[in-house]
């Protein structure tokens, strides 16, 4: 009986070990399948994430699948083309030659000062304007190597190719006004004068007081705070952020009326009536090379700031003017005031009750141009 019991116990122990081995083998196999599945999912996620963050290639004007070329263009030093549009008196008869720099999500047709200046004043003063499509906008080729300096050099080369002379004036609106700061940095010797109309500020310019920029930044809509953070800290995500549908995107990219002041909303009616004829041209080569790259450059890390600049006209042979509305919901007047107060050579003009679109107010363009040119 004892022997039979021992055999039973041996059989039971062997069965137990066999069962354990089968269980371990099954568990190990399940764990391996799970790890493989997770690895495949992770690789798939990375591939998807990479794909959605990569902008599509631009549709270059004049290419087989791109928009047609309808504007006159110059060829730049690196082979790119810059489209332009002339306004005012003929160039050879002009007393004053002015290059107009358009703003965000705009193009060469958005030359508000040239367009709203009365023909009589243009003829009386002898003013010639040329506006151009900034890289990636309208019919100008994209510039994947674009920097703060390169756009200033584009402007200088445009002046040379059009034979505007050794000196010329620049007038920039909004983002175009910000670009004029780069002209004052990199080509001051070519300027006869400059006007910056509601120039966009970069909240990460290091020599601005942190409390000042923080207060101004926090006044913006939350979606715009996030859009600018993305452009500054993770520019490789700018395309994805402004094309995804999970969170609200940058108001300016979405053309939201919420960023317009009371006055702006009235002026926008006239502004949009003018723009409807060419609005489709603005981003026709692709949103990344136009508006998204604009955000990355404007709110990225700058190698200089306006407060680093020296007076380009120490002998009063020219002047620099900043114009700003005190009810601008896009560009904080508090930061603009600080910059002007700390650059004694800046002529600062603040318009009470005006917003971002103040250049469209009747008569304002005449005041801006006569002040810039020093004529009455």
């Amino acid at each position: 009986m004892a022997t039979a019991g021992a055999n039973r116990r041996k059989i039971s122990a062997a069965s137990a070990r066999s069962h354990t081995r089968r269980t371990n083998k099954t568990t190990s196999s399940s764990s391996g399948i799970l790890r493989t599945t997770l690895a495949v999912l992770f690789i798939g996620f990375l591939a998807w994430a990479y794909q959605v963050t990569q902008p599509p290639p631009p549709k270059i004007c004049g290419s087989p699948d791109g928009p047609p070329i309808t504007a006159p263009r110059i060829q730049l030093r690196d082979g790119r083309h810059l489209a332009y549009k002339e306004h005012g008196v003929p160039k050879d008869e002009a007393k004053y030659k002015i290059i107009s720099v358009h703003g965000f999500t705009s193009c060469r047709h958005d030359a508000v000062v040239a367009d709203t200046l009365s023909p009589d004043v243009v003829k009386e003063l002898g003013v010639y304007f040329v506006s151009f499509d900034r890289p990636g906008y309208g019919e100008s080729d994209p510039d994947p190597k674009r920097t703060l300096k390169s756009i200033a050099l584009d402007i200088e080369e445009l002046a040379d190719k059009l034979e505007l002379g050794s000196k010329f004036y620049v007038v920039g609106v909004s983002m175009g006004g910000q670009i004029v700061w780069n002209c004052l940095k990199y080509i001051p010797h070519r300027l006869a004068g400059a006007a910056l109309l509601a120039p966009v500020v970069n909240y990460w310019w290091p020599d601005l007081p942190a409390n000042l920029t923080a207060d101004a930044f926090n006044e913006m809509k939350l979606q715009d705070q996030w859009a600018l953070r993305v452009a500054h800290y993770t520019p490789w995500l700018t395309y994805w952020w402004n094309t995804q549908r999970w969170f609200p995107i940058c108001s300016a990219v979405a053309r939201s009326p919420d960023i317009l002041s009371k006055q702006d909303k009235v002026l926008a009616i006239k502004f949009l009536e003018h723009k409807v004829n060419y609005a489709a041209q603005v981003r026709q080569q692709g949103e990344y090379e136009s508006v998204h790259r604009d955000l990355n450059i404007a709110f990225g890390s700058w190698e200089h700031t306006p407060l680093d600049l020296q007076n380009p006209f120490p002998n009063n042979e020219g002047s620099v003017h900043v114009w700003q509305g005190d009810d601008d919901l896009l560009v904080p007047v508090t930061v603009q005031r600080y910059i002007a107060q700390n650059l004694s050579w800046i002529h600062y003009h603040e318009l009470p009750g005006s917003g971002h679109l103040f250049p469209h107010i009747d008569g304002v363009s005449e005041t801006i141009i006569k002040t810039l040119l020093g004529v009455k």
Side-chain angles (χ1 to χ4, degrees), residues 295-372:
L295 288 174
N296 289 345
I297 295 290
F299 299 102
S301 297
W302 284 40
E303 59 263 25
H304 74 90
T305 75
L307 294 179
D308 297 329
L309 299 175
Q310 301 297 315
N311 184 0
F313 308 113
N315 300 315
N316 295 320
E317 65 273 32
S319 57
V320 180
H321 301 262
V322 172
W323 298 77
Q324 175 71 39
D326 71 353
D327 194 28
D328 192 327
L329 303 185
L330 276 168
V331 179
V333 67
T334 52
V335 179
Q336 212 75 276
R337 286 171 184 163
Y338 182 87
I339 294 171
Q341 289 165 2
N342 284 272
L343 294 175
S344 59
W345 44 273
I346 291 287
H347 299 269
Y348 180 65
H349 312 270
E350 191 170 298
L351 287 71
S354 290
H356 199 65
L357 301 180
F358 69 82
H360 293 271
I361 300 173
D362 291 340
V364 167
S365 290
E366 181 175 340
T367 301
I368 290 170
I369 289 302
K370 288 187 173 181
T371 302
L372 174 63

Side-chain angles (χ1 to χ4, degrees), residues 55-323:
K59 296 179 179 179
I60 306 296
C61 284
S63 66
D65 297 324
I69 298 170
T70 64
R73 308 199 303 175
I74 63 163
Q75 188 168 22
L76 298 169
R77 60 199 174 278
D78 58 3
R80 288 181 296 114
H81 294 87
L82 212 64
Y84 66 91
K85 180 179 180 180
E86 296 176 295
H87 319 251
V89 302
K91 179 175 54 182
D92 295 338
E93 301 174 12
K95 184 178 179 182
Y96 303 102
K97 296 168 184 177
I98 302 173
I99 296 180
S100 175
V101 190
H102 69 75
F104 188 71
T105 192
S106 300
C107 69
R108 68 188 182 280
H109 297 297
D110 294 297
V112 57
V113 173
D115 289 337
T116 57
L117 204 59
S118 77
D120 291 340
V121 172
V122 170
K123 185 176 181 180
E124 175 192 344
L125 296 179
V127 182
Y128 162 89
F129 290 90
V130 59
S131 56
F132 68 100
D133 291 330
R134 295 198 280 108
Y137 282 105
E139 296 181 27
S140 286
D141 293 337
D143 182 4
K145 298 180 180 179
R146 180 180 157 192
T147 64
L148 300 171
K149 185 176 182 178
S150 68
I151 185 63
L153 297 182
D154 285 354
I155 290 171
E156 181 180 35
E157 195 166 357
L158 175 66
D160 290 340
K161 289 291 178 70
L162 295 181
E163 300 180 341
L164 300 190
S166 61
K167 288 186 180 288
F168 50 88
Y169 295 85
V170 286
V171 174
V173 180
S174 189
M175 199 81 87
Q178 189 191 68
I179 287 170
V180 173
W181 289 126
N182 295 314
C183 293
L184 292 167
K185 169 67 176 179
Y186 296 111
I187 58 168
H189 57 289
R190 300 301 305 275
L191 304 182
L196 300 83
L197 315 184
V200 169
V201 302
N202 184 333
Y203 298 91
W204 290 272
W205 282 335
D207 44 11
L208 295 175
N211 61 330
L212 178 69
T213 53
D215 289 345
F217 189 79
N218 290 331
E219 288 294 318
M220 288 192 300
K221 294 171 67 66
L222 188 60
Q223 68 195 71
D224 294 328
Q225 294 180 34
W226 277 107
L228 298 194
R229 286 191 186 102
V230 168
H232 181 77
Y233 293 110
T234 55
W236 51 275
L237 277 178
T238 299
Y239 168 76
W240 172 80
W241 182 267
N242 288 293
T243 54
Q244 53 78 33
R245 294 294 177 263
W246 298 345
F247 310 107
I249 66 173
C250 176
S251 297
V253 172
R255 304 183 183 93
S256 170
D258 295 340
I259 54 177
L260 298 178
S261 70
K262 183 177 180 180
Q263 184 192 77
D264 284 340
K265 290 177 180 177
V266 175
L267 294 171
I269 297 173
K270 178 172 62 175
F271 170 66
L272 294 175
E273 285 177 353
H274 169 67
K275 194 160 186 167
V276 69
N277 297 319
Y278 58 85
Q281 294 183 29
V282 174
R283 309 183 191 184
Q284 65 182 352
Q285 297 186 88
E287 299 219 346
Y288 181 76
E289 289 296 345
S290 53
V291 295
H292 298 160
R293 192 177 292 280
D294 235 7
L295 288 174
N296 289 345
I297 295 290
F299 299 102
S301 297
W302 284 40
E303 59 263 25
H304 74 90
T305 75
L307 294 179
D308 297 329
L309 299 175
Q310 301 297 315
N311 184 0
F313 308 113
N315 300 315
N316 295 320
E317 65 273 32
S319 57
V320 180
H321 301 262
V322 172
W323 298 77

